[in-house]
Each structure stands twice: as structure tokens, then as C-alpha cells.
Amino acid sequence: MYDKSIRKCSFVVDPHFSGFIYVNLKDNDGMIRTYTSRNNGKYFMPIKIIGKGWGRVTNKCAVQLDLICSNDMKKNFPKKGVVKFKGTIHCKYFDIRHIFVSFTGGRTWKILNSQVDKIVTFNNIGAMFGTERTTGRIWVSYDEGNYWYKKYIRAYEFIDLETFDYPDNLIIAAISYNKFKNIYSLFLFNFSNILDRTCQDDDFESRYVGRYYGNCFQGQLISYLMKKPSAICVDKRTEVKVTMNTCPCAIEDFQW
């Protein structure tokens, strides 16, 4: 159901891969959970979270993503295979707001620290830059969120982030607002001196568009190259190309 006041929809569709659907459904326990389909709505499953301790939490609680209605889905689906949403973990006695990020096309998810209020990806998606709401602390990860560098800077509240992510110019622009003095400040973070090596062929790995039963769907096996999380280098590709090969159809590929 469309909520006009907050522009939320009950479902959204991944613009990069055919048959990928995200939908919010109310379960028998009264909680709203986000389910995903990888076969054009034939089956739906709740999202899975990776990370220490989160498997136990998400089995007992409900993960609800903020499915925003928009003609421009780049904020939620910035590149092929990458998905990011704000959302809520609903438990019996508490709710927690988080940012959820997937580098596997929504197959598995990572929950960012609840202190992180805004996040952008750069270096062709392999790196992330985040800010806390009022502390002035920034978070940076070069390996898809496996390890984070944190630093306090003299800023009051970050209200917007923007990337100037060109092959030789890895810059993040952040706008801070001091409501007591009514002053806006612009911060520029340049990562060109840190990521100073161009990625080579062995810095990439093939990732497949996973389905429920292997990687084949309706006779197509789809893969794309992503930078390895461990590779600290600049990904200068202007486009992430998709490779499609044929594969045998399974009974699940047919509509009933």
C-alpha cells in the first residue's frame, strides 16, 4: 500500500535484474517483514542477515526495509548487484533503525552500526563512506563493510552526502548544518591518495546472480565482475558489464 505522507510503497523491483522483487508483508504475529523474490514472484523469502549474532536476532525479530516509491532507484540500487536501504528491526520489546547493505544482489545482507545515519558508496561501489547524525564522526570502509575506519571531525550534523566518483578523482562531499548558529559547512574528503593503485585483472572476481536453486533462471546464467573486497585499488571501469550464458531449465522455471 502506498503511504503518500512518507512515500513508502509495499513493493519495489530491482531495476538491474529481472524477477527481483522486494515486498513488505504483515505476518501472522502482526509484524511487518520484508520478503524478496528471485523468480518473478513465484516464491518469497525473508531477507537474511550475515554477521556475528544477527542470525539469531533476525530469526526472532522482523526486518522491515523502507521501500521508497521513486522513479529514480539509484539510491537503493546504485549498481548491479548492490542494494542499500534504511530499515527497522522489529522485536517484541524494542525497535532498532539501521542501514542495510547487500553486495550480493539482495541474497545476503549486512547491518551497519545503528550510529551510522547516512551512507554512500564509491570506487565503483566497493567502498563506503558514512556519517553519524550529531557526533561529527565519519566511517570509511574499503572492503564492502568488513572493516571500518572511524574518525571524529569538527562537524555538527551531516545533512547530505554526495560522491564525485570519477576514475582519478575519488571525492566525497558532505554538508554539515549547525542549527544553533544557522551555519552550513562543506567538507570534501579526497581518497585519491589512499586508493592510488589501479585495479588489475586479478583484483576482480565473478559474481553470479543467485536464484533459489543455484544460479540458473529460465535458461540464463548471469554473472558480472566485482572488485574483490580484499583488493585495495581504484576500480576505473565506467560500466559493470553482465555476462549471460545458457543453462538447463528446471521445473521451477515454469509458471503453473
Side-chain angles (χ1 to χ4, degrees):
M1 182 178 294
Y2 175 62
D3 188 334
K4 184 177 181 180
S5 62
I6 52 178
R7 295 174 47 238
K8 287 186 180 180
C9 284
S10 58
F11 74 94
V12 296
V13 178
D14 190 324
H16 299 296
F17 298 127
S18 174
F20 280 40
I21 304 171
Y22 297 78
V23 59
N24 283 332
L25 301 173
K26 182 177 287 188
D27 284 343
N28 293 332
D29 58 7
M31 290 187 177
I32 298 177
R33 289 179 171 85
T34 298
Y35 286 77
T36 63
S37 174
R38 294 173 165 269
N39 54 10
N40 208 27
K42 190 172 183 179
Y43 302 119
F44 283 92
M45 297 183 66
I47 64 173
K48 295 181 179 180
I49 309 298
I50 61 175
K52 185 177 180 180
W54 284 114
R56 180 181 68 257
V57 171
T58 54
N59 285 335
K60 296 182 179 180
C61 303
V63 177
Q64 179 185 0
L65 303 181
D66 296 345
L67 305 181
I68 304 300
C69 299
S70 174
N71 292 327
D72 182 8
M73 300 300 293
K74 289 184 179 180
K75 286 189 175 182
N76 298 124
F77 303 93
K79 289 286 181 71
K80 294 180 180 69
V82 181
V83 189
K84 60 187 182 77
F85 284 101
K86 286 189 174 183
T88 306
I89 297 179
H90 299 289
C91 297
K92 186 175 182 180
Y93 299 109
F94 62 90
D95 294 337
I96 311 176
R97 293 285 294 172
H98 285 278
I99 295 176
F100 300 77
V101 181
S102 173
F103 291 94
T104 58
R107 194 170 196 171
T108 55
W109 295 80
K110 295 180 180 180
I111 304 177
L112 304 192
N113 190 291
S114 60
Q115 294 177 304
V116 178
D117 179 61
K118 290 179 174 55
I119 195 81
V120 291
T121 56
F122 65 103
N123 193 25
N124 237 340
I125 305 304
M128 290 189 287
F129 179 93
T131 58
E132 297 183 10
R133 182 180 296 274
T134 59
T135 63
R137 186 161 69 165
I138 62 173
W139 295 57
V140 181
S141 174
Y142 305 107
D143 58 0
E144 299 182 358
N146 294 319
Y147 183 82
W148 290 92
Y149 300 89
K150 308 162 195 174
K151 183 178 179 62
Y152 285 99
I153 63 173
R154 299 186 65 179
Y156 181 75
E157 179 177 0
F158 288 106
I159 60 173
D160 198 14
L161 301 177
E162 189 61 59
T163 60
F164 296 89
D165 193 6
Y166 299 99
D168 298 310
N169 191 25
L170 301 175
I171 295 178
I172 307 293
I175 298 176
S176 173
Y177 176 61
N178 187 326
K179 63 182 179 181
F180 299 106
K181 297 182 179 180
N182 194 27
I183 295 176
Y184 292 87
S185 301
L186 174 65
F187 294 83
L188 296 178
F189 302 91
N190 192 337
F191 296 93
S192 301
N193 293 329
I194 299 175
L195 300 173
D196 56 359
R197 181 179 69 85
T198 301
C199 295
Q200 304 300 313
D201 290 344
D202 58 357
D203 290 315
F204 296 94
E205 62 184 6
S206 293
R207 297 191 185 179
Y208 289 88
V209 179
R211 305 290 178 167
Y212 290 123
Y213 301 96
N215 298 321
C216 183
F217 179 64
Q218 294 183 344
Q220 288 188 332
L221 185 66
I222 302 175
S223 64
Y224 53 96
L225 286 178
M226 287 282 285
K227 184 181 71 67
K228 297 176 182 177
S230 59
I232 306 301
C233 57
V234 181
D235 183 356
K236 292 189 175 183
R237 296 176 299 166
T238 58
E239 182 182 1
V240 178
K241 295 183 178 180
V242 170
T243 300
M244 291 189 294
N245 295 307
T246 59
C247 55
C249 289
I251 192 169
E252 290 82 9
D253 292 327
F254 296 93
Q255 297 292 333
W256 297 94

